[in-house]
Amino acid sequence: MDSTTVADLSEDELIASFVPLLPRGRHTLVPTGDDAAVIAAPDGRFCVSTDVLVQDLHFRLEWGDGADVGWRAAAQNLSDVAAMGAEPTSMVVSLVLPPTTSVAWVHDLSRGFAELCGPLGVGVDGGDLSAGTQLVIAVTVHGDLGGRDPVLRSGARPGDVVAHAGVLGHAAAGMALLASGRRGGADDGLIAAFLRPRPALAAGPAAADAGATAMMDVSDGLLRDASRMARRSGVVLDLEPLERSVPGDLERLRDAAARMETDAAGWALTGGEDHGMLATFPVGTALPEPFRPLGTVRAADGDHPAGSVLVGGTPPDVTSMGWDHFRR
Amino acid sequence: MDSTTVADLSEDELIASFVPLLPRGRHTLVPTGDDAAVIAAPDGRFCVSTDVLVQDLHFRLEWGDGADVGWRAAAQNLSDVAAMGAEPTSMVVSLVLPPTTSVAWVHDLSRGFAELCGPLGVGVDGGDLSAGTQLVIAVTVHGDLGGRDPVLRSGARPGDVVAHAGVLGHAAAGMALLASGRRGGADDGLIAAFLRPRPALAAGPAAADAGATAMMDVSDGLLRDASRMARRSGVVLDLEPLERSVPGDLERLRDAAARMETDAAGWALTGGEDHGMLATFPVGTALPEPFRPLGTVRAADGDHPAGSVLVGGTPPDVTSMGWDHFRR
């Protein structure tokens, strides 16, 4: 049975084998299996975001099992609707599977979605399958705003506090450890942060309720995503050195960084895929847990145009700010 | 410029170059560009469906331009929400692009989405991009039921009339003509039916309003999809010979079928991707335009178990009922 591949089953047989493993959501009115699912949208609006994962670019089969990939695909999507101030309700998943894909891997993938989404009441309410040369997982996620105004990237105002909920650099460290073949001991926590990120989902709606002026999910690294928020808001984000604002995060990275001969602060400033929440709040706001202040929003000026991110008052000396899919 | 590939641009540059080409929808409250889009759901529920297209399996670059592929990707998704009785409101699109993909092709793809979705007020409200070895287009579509009960596949009852809106076999004929290298003259209409299918979108809500008991989009061929409806409803669909029910459809196929040395009725019974609506109605219902009666729903019996489809009272002698992605 373990050697059964998707080519051994008809499409209907394969679907029938994994659908019972998928989570059914609290908002699901008509589940997967018809031309479309029907999902409750009590707010009268819904948030929607989509993210695609490609084999060898976003995950490697040898780095974890299918459940790790399912968890991570779900996590990075859930995080996007939380970053609007919404609670996730439902997702759909399209899979492109090489004919050699094992059925067991597809079942594990389904279990990974269920492990993260099930307890949240989020359904996997539809999908599509195709053959292809490379594994592709395309997830679309939906959320309900529960009457909140959506929190955009563009609302940061000079004087606001910049804050972050979640970890910084842990997933990047975990990926570097995996890529170097390290496993075991203290490294496993960082590796788990990469394979099974725990986005700060509750922090999104909590930030919206607390009056956050801007928010986004940190998926491509703090500096890169902060500069996107700064550009969209027409401001400068002035961050304190992370050694001062989040010493615990750096401490957690320092041992692995020393062994990998790299810089813990570099991981924390540029490492992606932690899926924490970056938000700005009017000064004096009692920050909801687990937000921690990182710095201040400043007006752009002649020295620092809109979109700039400063660390300790100056542009950080980082040559690689995140990564890019297409640039040669 | 025409030789520019996606590898020549950063991800942000590529996105900025095609987003202005995408349609903005009537239901779009927060458009693409933030962590998630926000879409109006006036009904308090939304329909959602997803479909993935893979290069060389669902389309071939040499068969048409990017706009044809975008149109077809949009059409087959829009059809799925119409088949629930909903009006489409919004879609999101994930793209996996080989680095050699030309930027002009991606722009054409965006225009194809806009040409079909724009006049319908359907937005392309988000997406994601990745590199990969093979072109993949994953579309998720949403629809609003406008207070209607969703029409499921499972509601057909013995005595109901079976009806269809749209064309049958035209896309299959068009694909066969393209595969054989034919173009021009009378064939171009059939080729257009494959490259730019026109799903019977208005027929979906109209059928729901008229009291349709079951409905689905015909994407994998009439016989295969009818047997799915029959199985889900626990009934038998008893169709008249198509020569009697839809003689015009067969007539339109006959010349091409003769030249391809195949059978027009075979195309009409098993050809997929026309995206017509198959529905059942209580006997005596005035069928909404453009539905045409195809037959009758019967109770399963010892001779014909639930899920059977009969043509002229007997199981049709068709060895290949549609197609399957994975079966070797």
Side-chain angles (χ1 to χ4, degrees):
Chain A
M1 180 64 195
D2 272 352
S3 63
T4 306
T5 69
V6 296
D8 295 322
L9 302 182
S10 74
E11 189 171 339
D12 288 346
E13 288 166 348
L14 179 59
I15 292 170
S17 77
F18 70 70
V19 161
L21 303 173
L22 297 173
R24 174 143 177 193
R26 277 200 303 269
H27 288 73
T28 309
L29 302 173
V30 174
T32 185
D34 225 287
D35 288 76
V38 183
I39 312 299
D43 176 82
R45 303 166 294 177
F46 64 90
C47 293
V48 57
S49 179
T50 192
D51 255 341
V52 64
L53 286 82
V54 176
Q55 180 179 1
D56 296 335
L57 232 159
H58 301 96
F59 63 90
R60 291 185 181 275
L61 293 184
E62 63 272 24
W63 282 357
D65 61 15
D68 293 330
V69 176
W71 176 289
R72 209 149 78 80
Q76 70 184 57
N77 275 276
L78 293 168
S79 181
D80 281 324
V81 297
M84 302 300 285
E87 292 179 6
T89 57
S90 171
M91 52 178 69
V92 295
V93 181
S94 275
L95 294 178
V96 178
L97 303 173
T100 53
T101 309
S102 84
V103 171
W105 191 89
V106 178
H107 290 180
D108 282 346
L109 181 79
S110 306
R111 288 189 192 99
F113 275 99
E115 285 168 23
L116 181 54
C117 294
L120 299 168
V122 174
V124 173
D125 296 311
D128 193 24
L129 287 178
S130 176
T133 57
Q134 191 178 26
L135 257 165
V136 175
I137 304 164
V139 181
T140 302
V141 66
H142 308 90
D144 192 87
L145 284 161
R148 297 175 200 93
D149 286 335
V151 185
L152 309 185
R153 299 178 176 185
S154 52
R157 295 292 168 259
D160 286 352
V161 173
V162 181
H164 179 264
V167 296
L168 287 168
H170 290 202
M175 194 179 81
L177 291 165
L178 271 173
S180 73
R182 286 174 172 81
R183 285 240 178 187
D187 293 342
D188 281 357
L190 295 173
I191 289 171
F194 170 71
L195 292 176
R196 298 220 175 192
R198 297 186 170 274
L201 297 179
D209 288 339
T213 50
M215 185 156 52
M216 69 184 296
D217 150 52
V218 180
S219 54
D220 291 340
L222 177 62
L223 288 181
R224 189 171 182 190
D225 285 331
S227 84
R228 287 177 169 147
M229 179 182 280
R231 195 166 59 243
R232 291 288 294 277
S233 296
V235 297
V236 173
L237 298 197
D238 188 1
L239 309 182
E240 285 188 59
L242 297 184
E243 292 80 356
R244 227 176 293 164
S245 54
V246 290
D249 262 31
L250 290 198
E251 192 50 43
R252 186 78 193 72
L253 296 171
R254 214 171 300 276
D255 177 61
R259 280 181 294 119
M260 300 288 293
E261 297 180 0
T262 187
D263 177 29
W267 272 338
L269 285 170
T270 66
E273 312 203 18
D274 287 312
H275 302 293
M277 293 290 146
L278 179 68
T280 58
F281 296 89
V283 68
T285 303
L287 296 184
E289 282 294 328
F291 279 95
R292 296 166 296 176
L294 290 190
T296 307
V297 180
R298 283 177 29 181
D301 60 30
D303 291 336
H304 305 301
S308 302
V309 178
L310 310 178
V311 178
T314 57
D317 176 23
V318 178
T319 47
S320 162
M321 302 220 333
W323 41 276
D324 203 293
H325 290 307
F326 296 110
R327 179 77 74 181
R328 279 192 278 235
Chain B
M1 181 64 195
D2 273 352
S3 63
T4 306
T5 70
V6 297
D8 295 322
L9 301 183
S10 74
E11 189 171 340
D12 288 346
E13 288 166 348
L14 180 59
I15 292 170
S17 77
F18 69 70
V19 161
L21 303 174
L22 296 174
R24 174 141 179 198
R26 277 200 305 266
H27 288 73
T28 309
L29 302 173
V30 175
T32 187
D34 225 288
D35 289 77
V38 183
I39 312 300
D43 176 82
R45 303 166 292 177
F46 63 89
C47 293
V48 57
S49 179
T50 192
D51 255 341
V52 62
L53 287 82
V54 176
Q55 180 179 3
D56 295 336
L57 233 158
H58 301 95
F59 62 91
R60 290 183 182 278
L61 293 182
E62 64 270 26
W63 283 358
D65 61 16
D68 292 330
V69 176
W71 176 289
R72 209 148 78 82
Q76 69 184 56
N77 275 277
L78 294 168
S79 181
D80 281 324
V81 297
M84 302 300 283
E87 290 176 8
T89 56
S90 172
M91 53 178 69
V92 295
V93 182
S94 274
L95 294 179
V96 178
L97 303 173
T100 53
T101 308
S102 83
V103 171
W105 191 89
V106 178
H107 290 179
D108 282 345
L109 181 80
S110 306
R111 288 188 191 101
F113 275 98
E115 285 169 23
L116 182 54
C117 295
L120 299 168
V122 174
V124 172
D125 297 310
D128 193 24
L129 286 178
S130 175
T133 57
Q134 189 177 26
L135 256 165
V136 175
I137 304 163
V139 182
T140 301
V141 65
H142 307 90
D144 192 87
L145 284 160
R148 297 173 201 97
D149 286 334
V151 184
L152 309 185
R153 297 178 177 185
S154 52
R157 294 293 168 259
D160 285 353
V161 173
V162 181
H164 180 265
V167 297
L168 287 168
H170 290 201
M175 193 179 81
L177 291 165
L178 272 172
S180 73
R182 287 175 171 81
R183 284 239 178 190
D187 292 341
D188 281 357
L190 295 172
I191 288 171
F194 171 71
L195 291 177
R196 299 220 174 191
R198 298 187 171 272
L201 297 178
D209 288 339
T213 51
M215 183 154 55
M216 68 185 295
D217 148 53
V218 179
S219 54
D220 291 342
L222 177 63
L223 288 180
R224 190 172 179 190
D225 286 331
S227 83
R228 288 179 168 144
M229 177 182 282
R231 195 166 59 242
R232 293 287 294 278
S233 296
V235 297
V236 173
L237 297 199
D238 188 1
L239 309 182
E240 284 189 61
L242 297 184
E243 292 80 358
R244 228 177 291 163
S245 54
V246 290
D249 263 30
L250 290 198
E251 192 51 43
R252 185 79 192 72
L253 296 171
R254 215 172 300 278
D255 177 59
R259 280 180 294 119
M260 300 287 293
E261 297 181 0
T262 187
D263 177 29
W267 272 338
L269 285 170
T270 67
E273 313 201 19
D274 287 313
H275 302 295
M277 294 289 148
L278 179 68
T280 57
F281 296 90
V283 67
T285 304
L287 297 184
E289 282 293 328
F291 279 97
R292 295 165 300 175
L294 290 189
T296 307
V297 181
R298 283 177 30 180
D301 60 28
D303 291 337
H304 305 301
S308 301
V309 178
L310 310 178
V311 177
T314 57
D317 177 24
V318 178
T319 48
S320 161
M321 301 214 341
W323 41 275
D324 202 294
H325 290 309
F326 296 109
R327 179 76 74 179
R328 278 193 279 239

